[in-house]
Amino acid sequence: MKQKSPVVAPFNLQAIERPLVSVDVVIFTVLEGALHVLLVKRPDDPREPCPGMWALPGGFVDVEKDADLESCALRKLQQKTGVKTPYLEQVGSWGGSKRDPRAWSATHVYFALIPAPESLLQGSNDATWFPVEGQRVRVKLAFDHAMLLEAAVQRLRNKVEYTSLPAYLLPQEFTLSDLQRMYEVVLERPIEKSAFRTRVFAAGLVEEVDKVRAGPNRPAQLYRLAHPREIVYFPRTFSPRKSAED
Amino acid sequence: MKQKSPVVAPFNLQAIERPLVSVDVVIFTVLEGALHVLLVKRPDDPREPCPGMWALPGGFVDVEKDADLESCALRKLQQKTGVKTPYLEQVGSWGGSKRDPRAWSATHVYFALIPAPESLLQGSNDATWFPVEGQRVRVKLAFDHAMLLEAAVQRLRNKVEYTSLPAYLLPQEFTLSDLQRMYEVVLERPIEKSAFRTRVFAAGLVEEVDKVRAGPNRPAQLYRLAHPREIVYFPRTFSPRKSAED
DNA sequence: TTAATTAGTGCTACTGTGCAACTAACTTAG
DNA sequence: CTAAGTTAGTTGCACAGTAGCACTAATTAA
């Protein structure tokens, strides 16, 4: 049982019914040239809702452990992946009486970008990478997680059009071709090489690393982010000219 | 299997401590050529936190009345303004142990755009329009509402650069000059008339209304939104060329 | 040696913008 | 009634940025 603080706040707090509050994290990475998302299997216990189904990693906020929503998301992400410094961004919140059979609940959805992990699974092995096909995954998801995932994918695709986000899908050092490939994988369309390079340099996104990669073909120049902490906004999108007319 | 009572869900729900859940609405309009936001005065009761301070309209989610977060926001907006069909968008959520002295709390911030109201106040007269100066208002706000307001203003300004949002600050019928003025007020900078018109038409944002406005000068063509339900995304921002070099 | 692959560069045409001048239709002052 | 002022809306031109595509160079594989 929880020990009540001896000093009760002098506030008059009406005892209204409180919703459940949770955080779900949509963790993206690129594996084998395709966008993947990490899902966990819910316990088979029939006293739990959606037993045995695949779901986004997440769960209830812990008012003891979690100082705020973002650190709650970070905690859950670290539990599943071991990654400590992902790109993490809030997608939105969904709350209502219908989404969890147990009670009125509100969930806070974050999406994260991490480089392709060497060991696919970490710790609890109920977690698996699923390819994102269109806006979805092949399996049926628990609760309204299919909708949450869709929103996260949409946000990601949209934001990739005009930001440096895909850099966080790569290790610290990468070639411009690597980076371009990340854009193409997420956006599911080719990008013009020349315009891509011009814009990346014009934005001051990267700085050179002076060693040279060994590889199957010509050694390519390695780069790293010039300002790893800030994401860069491009003045325009990567849209080809045609799509402006459609 | 033993049949449970239909009232009690058959789920095993751990009795963890639940946060407070609230919704706050940042309601924008344009009055006298300046962006304004609606604030309400908190009760003077010293048993309430932040007594007598100005705050964003909002409050706790009511699990009986509110089907979901958005309808909760809409309910609070209608209470204060009487407006039934504003533009309403979620800005984000902020939750943590420190933001409300009473308990761990999570709030869900929406921003709304409404046309300039004829009667400034509706119903409860503790609500007042304040001009937005920079990212803030002149008064000190309750809780972390100054930060929430800042986030909403930033979202608004950012999104106005490449969407049709300012149309929702006008009545259903408006002239192109009216619309351009809304962009200029929100963005706090002049826009090129010629480019503005070209882009608005190219995007198919508006359709003509065949009556003509009576006014102090030449009657201007009236327009209305071609698709009032959908916001339009422009292929580029309204940024002048200089800012691309800065 | 030759073909294939990939990194990186150069060139051109085109689109949309900034800028500014211009016309047209109305109001207001005298 | 006239002249000046105001605003809606158009037109023309110079210029910046990039899409599209061809090209060079360096390496590997056969």
Side-chain angles (χ1 to χ4, degrees), chain B residues 181-217:
Chain B
R181 205 165 301 121
M182 290 302 109
Y183 276 91
E184 292 174 337
V185 164
V186 176
L187 295 178
E188 293 183 322
R189 73 159 186 268
I191 305 229
E192 270 306 311
K193 184 170 50 165
S194 171
F196 178 79
R197 299 173 96 87
T198 308
R199 295 184 55 190
V200 166
F201 289 134
L205 175 61
V206 294
E207 61 185 19
E208 292 189 3
V209 178
D210 32 32
K211 45 178 171 163
V212 160
R213 188 178 68 153
N217 301 303

Side-chain angles (χ1 to χ4, degrees), chain B residues 192 199 216 218-219 239-241:
Chain B
E192 270 306 311
R199 295 184 55 190
R218 177 193 190 169
S239 326
R241 201 166 278 155

Side-chain angles (χ1 to χ4, degrees), chain A residues 22-141:
Chain A
S22 58
V23 167
D24 293 309
V25 193
V26 183
I27 307 169
F28 291 113
T29 200
V30 171
L31 296 173
E32 296 156 5
L35 188 66
H36 282 65
V37 62
L38 190 69
L39 298 176
V40 297
K41 197 166 188 153
R42 291 187 57 79
D44 271 319
D45 188 340
R47 289 170 305 176
E48 293 281 325
C50 308
M53 292 179 78
W54 292 96
L56 297 172
F60 295 126
V61 164
D62 185 326
V63 302
E64 305 293 333
K65 281 190 212 159
D66 300 317
D68 52 40
L69 289 172
E70 186 167 323
S71 54
C72 177
L74 202 58
R75 179 171 63 84
K76 289 169 192 301
L77 183 134
Q78 278 190 40
Q79 272 175 14
K80 297 294 171 192
T81 66
V83 174
K84 289 200 171 75
T85 58
Y87 175 78
L88 190 64
E89 170 180 328
Q90 193 183 84
V91 176
S93 304
W94 282 262
S97 55
K98 300 281 178 60
R99 49 179 307 281
D100 189 315
R102 294 169 292 189
W104 210 106
S105 73
T107 198
H108 305 84
V109 181
Y110 285 77
F111 84 85
L113 303 180
I114 64 173
E118 299 92 18
S119 60
L120 292 194
L121 302 181
Q122 188 107 0
S124 53
N125 55 7
D126 54 351
T128 307
W129 291 104
F130 283 82
V132 176
E133 296 164 358
Q135 306 256 338
R136 311 186 172 201
V137 288
R138 205 169 279 277
V139 291
K140 191 159 182 290
L141 297 187

Side-chain angles (χ1 to χ4, degrees), chain B residues 3-9:
Chain B
Q3 183 76 28
K4 277 276 186 182
S5 152
V7 186
V8 180

Side-chain angles (χ1 to χ4, degrees), chain B residues 11-24:
Chain B
F11 295 118
N12 196 17
L13 184 53
Q14 209 180 338
I16 56 168
E17 192 180 338
R18 301 184 185 181
L20 301 172
V21 175
S22 58
V23 168
D24 293 309

Side-chain angles (χ1 to χ4, degrees), chain A residues 192 194-195 199 216-219 236 239-242:
Chain A
E192 272 304 312
S194 173
R199 296 185 54 191
N217 301 305
R218 176 193 190 168
R236 312 190 31 148
S239 326
R241 242 201 269 283
K242 303 171 206 163

